[in-house]
């Protein structure tokens, strides 16, 4: 932290910082944002945890940055980590919100806190991989001269020349980054594909470590970590936070508090970070890589275990594996035992080249995954899954991540969770319990930060309360009941397994026609989106109907925004990843309540665990999953004060089923109707057709 002028941070408050930041960006005072900042300031001072639901338009980022940065000024040597789910929000914070907040802190206090962005290893170029390449079976780096020749001698549109040009550009850029002491962050790289980036980056497992790597002195990852260790505020993502929790705090620098933005995605992201896959192709690829270094039969044994795994996967049902005597468990044990022998053999040789060490790391990863799957631990769910292009694979995920988060995140740091969606069914309990908090540990209310007596009371309450937390809903600046309509198609039949009914398709076309396009269609499957798009194009030839899969999602989103009368149909990535305010999106169509697949092994296992513990597995797992997606999906409609429109849910169960009230209470409080003609006329008025 650097001092610019002599000033006491005790003379100012977080509201002063927030006001300066909001004024600098040309914003306006928002009561919800101030209430949020007050609660976070209180949480940081009294060490209790906080869940803050802040609706779209609240200004969440500045709402937590202002109190966090001022707290850091007042507590030199401490550090706060902000964790986001998406790289998009990370970039927004880095490029817009944090600079504005830091400038405001400096203007108010005369001191300027330092910040840094920290990402996972694969987001940075690996200098060793860049310079030395890897084994041929891993698509070794192509020499620059060959790349140039390939690019010149083939048409630019061919995959070979495009890949060659991308890799060459990445190598040149990364070399410049090294000379300029940059970080070679992927977000700053020239345009490229995933395949090209794989040529210049490396996985965590294959990294030799800074001490053993010939290029360790120039490691971009270590440079980024050095920057994080020197910073007061560090921005990371949920996955890195999870890895830090699972591996004893090795992924992030020491910190006193964590602010988790986009917290509705936390359980999903932590689950993904704690999951693993094992396929015959993966075993075979690694096994072939070992043959270069092994003279005995151990490499062949590992290769043979890939065939054993393949046969076991093909012979087993597509469901959770629970039988320790099954052929699948025996196959995992075969992979485990062969991998153990190979790891030992690779470690014992004299010629310990970087590639040999990386190969050993890849085999060790196989060993760890196979051992975990063979164990069938009661805290894990292991199942066989089918992939569209590459056949079957085995997957393992934790039955719950609540214990991990309770002990390693909430148990070690003051933690703030924030999102536009933290209350499901009108209550914080579903989200709170999923992250390891207990309903009985909730403190009654969030005290104002300027009430010292309440601070003292809160601090006393912390004793013998386990993991105490508060929940606060600061509302939204939007007047949902004036700005939008929730239409539930009660007259339609409940959705079945055969996909969209003819009546549902006809209703989609009628609604899109009434809104003159301007529709975002959120469907439960790619097939449903495609069927609806084909039908609507046929019925509405004068309107543009875009469908996920027609092009890359960013390109489809760009075209959707550019053409006000266009509509965009798609699946899960659109439910949370599209932000299109204004007349471009005046109709959001949801084809059915987005329950998870009833035969999805992880969902089935989690529901069963809740039921066996005496709870309602369907409501806690399936209904909460659907409520979260409905909240996020319907939230695509109203993104600013001037937005108007309709959310149309073509699933009558939202008003006829007992769980419907729970789901509706999770969605924005729009004016509700089941009258299609009322909605059609409203859409026609909005689109200027009547």
């Amino acid at each position: 932290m650097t001092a610019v002028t002599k000033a006491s941070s005790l003379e100012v408050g977080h509201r002063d910082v927030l006001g300066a930041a909001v004024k600098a960006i040309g914003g306006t005072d928002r009561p919800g944002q101030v209430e949020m900042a007050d609660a976070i300031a209180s949480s940081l001072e009294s060490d209790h945890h906080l869940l803050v639901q802040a609706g779209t338009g609240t200004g969440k980022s500045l709402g937590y940055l202002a109190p966090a940065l001022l707290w850091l000024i007042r507590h030199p040597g401490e550090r706060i980590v902000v964790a986001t789910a998406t790289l998009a929000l990370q970039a927004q914070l880095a490029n817009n919100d944090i600079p504005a907040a830091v400038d405001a802190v400096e203007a108010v206090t005369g001191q300027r806190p330092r910040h840094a962005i920290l990402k996972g290893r694969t987001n940075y170029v690996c200098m060793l991989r860049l310079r030395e390449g890897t084994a041929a079976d891993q698509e070794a780096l192509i020499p620059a001269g060959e790349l140039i020749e390939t690019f010149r001698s083939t048409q630019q549109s061919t995959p070979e020349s495009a890949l060659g040009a991308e890799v060459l550009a990445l190598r040149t850029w990364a070399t410049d980054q090294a000379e300029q002491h940059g970080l070679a962050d992927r977000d700053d790289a020239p345009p490229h594909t995933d395949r090209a980036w794989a040529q210049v980056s490396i996985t965590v497992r294959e990294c030799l470590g800074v001490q053993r790597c010939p290029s360790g002195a120039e490691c971009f990852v270590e440079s980024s970590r050095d920057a994080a260790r020197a910073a007061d505020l560090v921005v990371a993502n949920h996955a890195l936070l999870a890895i830090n929790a699972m591996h004893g705090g090795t992924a992030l620098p020491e910190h006193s508090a964590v602010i988790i933005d986009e917290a509705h995605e936390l359980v999903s992201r932590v689950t993904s970070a704690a999951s693993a896959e094992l396929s015959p192709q993966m075993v075979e690829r690694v096994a072939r890589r070992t043959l270069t270094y092994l003279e005995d039969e151990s490499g062949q044994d590992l290769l043979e275990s890939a065939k054993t795994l393949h046969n076991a996967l093909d012979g087993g049902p597509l469901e959770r594996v629970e039988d320790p005597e099954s052929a699948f468990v025996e196959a995992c044990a075969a992979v485990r035992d062969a991998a153990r022998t190979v790891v030992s053999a690779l470690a014992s040789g004299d010629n310990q080249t970087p590639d040999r060490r990386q190969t050993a790391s890849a085999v060790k990863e196989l060993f760890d995954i196979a051992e975990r799957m063979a164990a069938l631990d009661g805290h894990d769910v292991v199942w066989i899954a089918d992939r569209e292009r590459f056949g079957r694979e085995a997957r393992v995920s934790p039955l719950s991540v609540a214990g991990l988060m309770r002990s390693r995140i909430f148990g070690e740091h003051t933690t703030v969770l924030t999102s536009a969606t933290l209350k499901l069914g009108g209550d914080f309990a579903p989200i709170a319990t999923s992250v390891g908090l207990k309903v009985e540990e909730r403190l009654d209310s969030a005290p104002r930060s300027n009430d010292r007596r309440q601070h003292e009371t809160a601090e006393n309450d912390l004793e013998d309360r386990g993991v105490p937390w508060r929940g606060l809903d600061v509302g939204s600046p939007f007047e949902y009941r004036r700005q939008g309509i929730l239409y539930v198609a009660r007259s339609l039949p409940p959705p079945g397994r055969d996909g969209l009914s003819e009546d549902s398709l006809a209703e989609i076309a009628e609604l899109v026609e009434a809104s003159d396009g301007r529709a975002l269609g959120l469907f439960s499957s790619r097939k449903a989106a495609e069927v609806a798009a084909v039908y609507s194009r046929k019925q509405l030839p004068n309107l543009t109907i875009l469908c996920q899969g027609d092009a890359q999602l960013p390109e489809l989103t760009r075209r959707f925004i550019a053409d006000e009368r266009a509509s965009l149909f798609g699946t899960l990535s659109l439910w949370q990843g599209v932000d299109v305010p204004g007349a471009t999106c005046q109709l959001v169509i949801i084809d059915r309540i987005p329950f998870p697949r009833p035969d999805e092994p992880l969902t089935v296992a989690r529901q069963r665990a809740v039921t066996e513990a005496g709870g309602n597995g369907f409501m806690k797992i399936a209904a909460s999953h659907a409520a979260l997606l409905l909240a996020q999906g319907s939230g695509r409609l109203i993104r600013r004060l001037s937005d108007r429109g309709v959310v149309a849910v073509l699933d009558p169960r939202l008003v006829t089923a007992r769980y419907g009230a729970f789901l509706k209470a999770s969605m924005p409080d729009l004016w509700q109707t089941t009258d299609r003609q009322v909605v059609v006329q409203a859409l026609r008025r909005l689109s200027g057709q009547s």
Side-chain angles (χ1 to χ4, degrees), residues 76-104:
E78 302 292 343
R79 184 179 293 109
I80 291 177
V81 169
V82 173
T84 71
T86 62
L87 290 175
L89 179 56
Q90 209 172 56
Q92 176 189 316
L93 288 171
N95 299 326
N96 301 316
D97 299 332
I98 292 178
V102 168
D103 287 347

Side-chain angles (χ1 to χ4, degrees), residues 307-426:
K307 298 178 183 178
T308 304
L309 179 63
H310 181 276
N311 293 336
L313 290 171
D314 279 358
L318 295 172
E319 62 186 23
R320 184 181 183 183
V321 179
E322 297 183 272
D323 181 7
E325 305 297 326
S326 66
F328 168 76
V329 172
E330 292 180 2
C332 288
V335 175
R336 176 199 63 200
D337 295 344
R340 180 193 290 116
T341 302
V342 170
V343 168
S344 178
L346 289 172
S348 64
D350 294 331
N351 185 24
Q352 294 294 321
T353 63
D355 185 64
R356 183 178 182 128
R357 291 172 180 162
Q358 290 173 348
T359 301
S361 295
V363 180
K364 180 61 166 59
E365 182 177 20
L366 279 185
F367 170 81
D368 289 343
I369 297 172
E371 182 179 47
R372 180 182 177 188
M373 290 185 174
L376 292 185
D377 188 285
H379 295 97
D380 276 335
V381 180
V382 180
W383 73 98
I384 298 174
D386 205 4
R387 298 171 295 173
E388 289 185 7
R389 296 179 56 191
F390 301 108
R392 293 186 172 189
E393 70 175 3
R395 298 174 185 170
V396 58
S397 292
L399 181 62
S400 171
V401 295
L404 173 69
M405 288 188 281
R406 180 179 177 84
S407 62
R408 299 299 183 186
I409 298 179
F410 293 100
E412 297 182 0
H413 316 284
T414 301
T415 304
V416 175
L417 273 64
T418 185
S419 167
T421 309
L422 284 183
K423 293 172 70 175
L424 300 181

Side-chain angles (χ1 to χ4, degrees), residues 240-267:
L240 211 54
L241 184 67
I243 293 168
N244 192 68
M246 290 186 294
H247 297 288
T250 58
L252 296 171
E254 291 186 7
H255 50 281
S256 303
V258 182
I259 298 173
I260 303 174
D261 203 342
E262 301 177 305
H264 61 277
E265 293 196 47
L266 182 61
V267 169

Side-chain angles (χ1 to χ4, degrees), residues 4 155 260 311 365 459 465 650:
V4 178
Q155 293 186 7
I260 303 174
N311 293 336
E365 182 177 20
E459 288 170 359
R465 290 296 302 273
L650 309 185

